[in-house]
Amino acid sequence: MVGAVLVQNRSDHLKKLSLLLDRAGVAATPEQLAFGIAIGAAVLWSATAIVLKPPIIIGLLLLPLCLALAAGSCWLYVQYRLRKRLDTFVQQLELALRLIASGVRIGLSLRQALSIVIEEMPDPARYEYMRVMGQTNIGVSVYDALDDLSERMPGNETLMMARAIRIQSQTGGDLGKILEHLANTIKERRRIQRKIRALTAEGRASAGILSALPPFLSGFIALTEPEMGHSLFFTPIGHGAMVIVAILEALGVYFLLRMLKVDV
């Protein structure tokens, strides 16, 4: 019984990870990702052992740390790819809505209008709308497929599109005009977001400088004061100091970026 539950949990986690990789546009399976993390952790641990030459016990303790660093780096990369793909999709959404509105206005059905987007636009919009069409081919309603799209590519713009089309199907009205208004709204939101990025550029630059300062100072000390550099890089106290500084630095950058985040 316990074994079946564990197998089911493992299957659920693998399914969620596969969905995340697909949403991020990463052409790898969870198994390939795990293998890459293991290789990266082994390389990082070997390099650390060669450079720092730690005692055996500390070396063994560094192994799970290297594994965590490799897994964290991989996770950050996947999240970066996901954010970049979402941003690209949102940037394409305005044009996609105008194409759909044009198709509806010339008498095409919503499903036929979606095919125009597939023909005219590049990825990721093309890939995501192909998924919508594929779901409709197996019996899913186009409205449910668009709801699924808003879950796969979460964002206020995608959610507004799915809800606007579903509400129009229930209440009636000019779908082409509704989509045109929605496209104009998205265009205005993007203009405001660009203005916000310009206003917060100084803060983001400060976060970048703040994160680059400790490594720069560490290298400068190692070059100008070899004894201090040796104490910093090759003693347990120095290792502990670097860990504490890295944690504080990460927290400082995180909270600074959180303060600069503005939802539109």
Side-chain angles (χ1 to χ4, degrees):
M1 185 65 180
V2 176
V5 172
L6 292 176
V7 171
Q8 182 63 35
N9 289 337
R10 179 177 179 274
S11 177
D12 292 340
H13 288 310
L14 288 177
K15 187 180 297 184
K16 291 179 180 179
L17 183 57
S18 297
L19 179 60
L20 178 63
L21 295 176
D22 183 47
R23 289 173 55 205
V26 177
T29 64
E31 292 78 9
Q32 292 172 336
L33 189 67
F35 180 74
I37 291 174
I39 295 296
V43 171
L44 181 60
W45 181 79
S46 300
T48 303
I50 292 172
V51 173
L52 299 181
K53 298 181 176 62
I56 296 177
I57 296 178
I58 296 178
L60 293 176
L61 293 176
L62 285 175
L63 185 57
L65 178 61
C66 291
L67 184 61
L69 287 174
S73 299
C74 183
W75 177 258
L76 290 176
Y77 171 73
V78 172
Q79 291 297 317
Y80 166 76
R81 288 285 303 269
L82 177 59
R83 288 194 302 271
K84 185 176 180 181
R85 195 166 184 268
L86 286 173
D87 290 341
T88 304
F89 180 80
V90 172
Q91 291 173 7
Q92 295 174 327
L93 190 56
E94 178 193 348
L95 179 56
L97 289 173
R98 296 191 188 280
L99 289 173
I100 297 172
S102 300
V104 170
R105 283 177 172 172
I106 63 175
L108 299 178
S109 66
L110 177 59
R111 190 173 181 277
Q112 292 172 327
L114 290 175
S115 64
I116 299 177
V117 179
I118 297 173
E119 295 173 358
E120 298 294 333
M121 298 198 66
D123 290 332
R126 177 177 176 273
Y127 176 81
E128 293 300 330
Y129 283 103
M130 281 183 65
R131 284 183 61 94
V132 172
M133 295 293 289
Q135 288 177 315
T136 61
N137 289 337
I138 60 175
V140 179
S141 74
V142 65
Y143 309 110
D144 291 337
L146 288 173
D147 287 339
D148 181 70
L149 172 62
S150 68
E151 294 178 1
R152 278 180 50 83
M153 309 297 285
N156 293 329
E157 293 85 355
T158 314
L159 184 61
M160 285 191 296
M161 176 194 67
R163 288 184 175 177
I165 293 176
R166 180 177 287 277
I167 291 173
Q168 186 277 336
S169 70
Q170 297 171 350
T171 61
D174 188 346
L175 180 58
K177 187 175 182 180
I178 292 173
L179 294 180
E180 282 289 348
H181 282 308
L182 183 56
N184 292 332
T185 300
I186 292 175
K187 181 180 179 180
E188 186 65 19
R189 285 171 59 88
R190 289 177 57 198
R191 185 188 68 80
I192 295 174
Q193 288 170 349
R194 288 194 296 268
K195 186 174 182 179
I196 291 173
R197 286 186 63 83
L199 294 174
T200 58
E202 183 178 354
R204 287 184 283 109
S206 299
I209 294 173
L210 185 64
S211 61
L213 195 57
F216 173 78
L217 288 178
S218 299
F220 181 76
I221 290 173
L223 291 175
T224 57
E225 296 290 341
E227 293 184 1
M228 292 181 62
H230 183 273
S231 300
L232 181 64
F233 291 108
F234 297 100
T235 63
I237 296 178
H239 296 163
M242 286 192 295
V243 170
I244 293 173
V245 169
I247 293 174
L248 294 176
E249 190 72 19
L251 289 174
V253 172
Y254 171 78
F255 284 113
L256 181 57
L257 293 178
R258 289 288 296 178
M259 288 188 291
L260 294 173
K261 186 177 180 180
V262 180
D263 292 327
V264 180

